[in-house]
Amino acid sequence: MITYDVAVIGGGIVGSAIARLLGGADLSVALLEARGDVGDGTSKANTAILHTGFDAKPGTLESRLVARGYHLLGEYAAATGIPVERTGALLVAWSQEQLDALPGLRDKAGRNGYTACEVVDAAEVYRRVPALGPGALGGLTVPGESVICTWTTNLALATDAVNRGVRLLRHHRVTAVHQDADVTRLTTTAGEVTARWVVNAAGLGADRLDALFGHDRFTVTPRRGELLVFDKLARPLAPCIVLPVPSSAGKGVLVSPTIYGNVMVGPTAEDLADRTATGTSEPGLAFLREKAAALMPALTKEEVTATYAGLRASIGQDDYLIDLDAGQRYLLVGGIRSTGLTAGMAIAEHVAGLLGEHLDLAQRAGLPAPPRMPNLGEAFTRPYQDAAAIAADPEYGRVVCFCERVTRGELRDALASPVPPADLEGLRRRTRAMNGRCQGFYCGARVREIFEGETE
């Protein structure tokens, strides 16, 4: 049995980023994922915003890592082809109390190192977003906020890790921990994995895994966020991300363009007990429709293409919980909420800084170049639009999913990639197939046929 130098538990964005960075050193690294695919938990369903960190709590670890991650992920996206649209954002004040709060929010952004925010009047708010409902009193611009593809981000990091020699072990849910003098034995649903060091980046399951190491320091409360996705015809209504002024109740509901050309409204924020409750609810969707009608009345005339919900790992504190126990050779990465998308690569840096006191993390010479990811962004050239790509390979001109313009070549490439999909949902996240208006009604059978033919 192989004894790995480090086992990273959790194949979401944070775990994949950590595995990628450790995989660049002269170490043997395993990335354990409980599900059948990377990014199949919290990382797959969020608001997909690349945050400047302007509204983080100043002085926190989260604030520092989000600000650092914003730049790291921006550079990595450019190198790998992760689609990013620099749309900017606008906080809109709908009451005098919210309007009075804007200068303080601008100053808070400055304390977080982001100085580009500007308070604007109602006329400027409506000039920027004409489709907003009546009653806006003013706003705060955040020009650096962007929309990004969270699916491609996770897959790029995991693919990079695998290319660097990390062993990806899917369907490996940890059920027991046995610590010996020099190694830790992890009992999983697919057998035993042995490692000298363990990093817990298990997201919604981080507290339960932490308990297996003998700790009782936090509890994860799954916080469900439901979202409505409107048809691409609605996209001109939302030229930028429209944010509410945060209150004691939370950040509230936003209206945002998506990287795929749609408009999204949400999320809700509902604390649950069930860590698998990713279904939408009738009250949640009714609430979002009501909010959409007030924020942007024209949206009520547009079709809802999809609804979905994600679970965020709330731990009841306003900061990340990252802690190293040298005696146990164990490092916890807990309480990483939706900002983990932006902060993931910076969290990996922070983890490497802690582990670097005990392991040699000098990066190897001759590491493979970052993977070049397929473009899923609607604002950039897709294969069906690329005459040169089609001339070189006609499969890029054979459209299978007509709603999202996904080609046979893209499906083939995803199935042959270093981290291939385990099921149709994984193929959907890699290509956008079945994500359009018909939700797979017309193309689903053909996509399934291709998937089963390529994976037999």
Side-chain angles (χ1 to χ4, degrees), residues 4 32 55 58 83 103 201 220 259:
Y4 296 96
L32 281 65
D55 61 346
V220 168
I259 202 72

Side-chain angles (χ1 to χ4, degrees), residues 176-372:
V177 171
H178 308 277
Q179 291 192 292
D180 298 328
D182 299 315
V183 299
T184 297
R185 292 179 290 116
L186 303 170
T187 301
T188 82
T189 49
E192 191 168 270
V193 177
T194 304
R196 296 181 178 88
W197 281 82
V198 176
V199 176
N200 175 359
L204 288 166
D207 58 336
R208 292 175 175 173
L209 181 59
D210 198 48
L212 294 179
F213 279 86
H215 299 282
D216 182 19
R217 47 185 158 175
F218 71 106
T219 299
V220 168
T221 299
R223 181 166 293 163
R224 179 166 62 184
E226 301 177 60
L227 298 108
L228 291 177
V229 180
F230 288 85
D231 188 74
K232 291 178 177 59
L233 293 175
R235 177 60 188 265
L237 299 174
C240 69
I241 304 162
V242 178
L243 300 169
V245 175
S247 68
S248 58
K251 292 187 176 181
V253 172
L254 59 83
V255 178
S256 175
T258 76
I259 202 72
Y260 318 114
N262 303 89
V263 173
M264 177 177 63
V265 176
T268 58
E270 179 186 7
D271 288 345
L272 304 173
D274 184 355
R275 303 186 189 208
T276 65
T278 56
T280 55
S281 69
E282 186 174 342
L285 298 183
F287 169 78
L288 291 177
R289 282 185 175 277
E290 180 182 332
K291 281 289 187 180
L295 292 168
M296 198 169 282
L299 277 177
T300 61
K301 300 177 182 179
E302 304 293 338
E303 291 188 28
V304 173
T305 298
T307 63
Y308 69 94
L311 296 177
R312 304 176 310 263
S314 172
I315 64 169
Q317 68 177 47
D318 293 330
D319 204 358
Y320 297 160
L321 177 56
I322 301 178
D323 183 66
L324 181 142
D325 186 321
Q328 289 188 299
R329 303 175 308 281
Y330 168 65
L331 194 152
L332 166 67
V333 183
I336 312 300
R337 296 161 295 178
S338 57
T339 54
L341 166 59
T342 300
M345 297 186 76
I347 292 171
E349 268 192 352
H350 182 69
V351 165
L354 297 174
L355 289 174
E357 299 180 12
H358 307 277
L359 296 168
D360 182 1
L361 297 183
Q363 298 292 283
R364 304 191 309 273
L367 287 175
R372 192 69 189 173

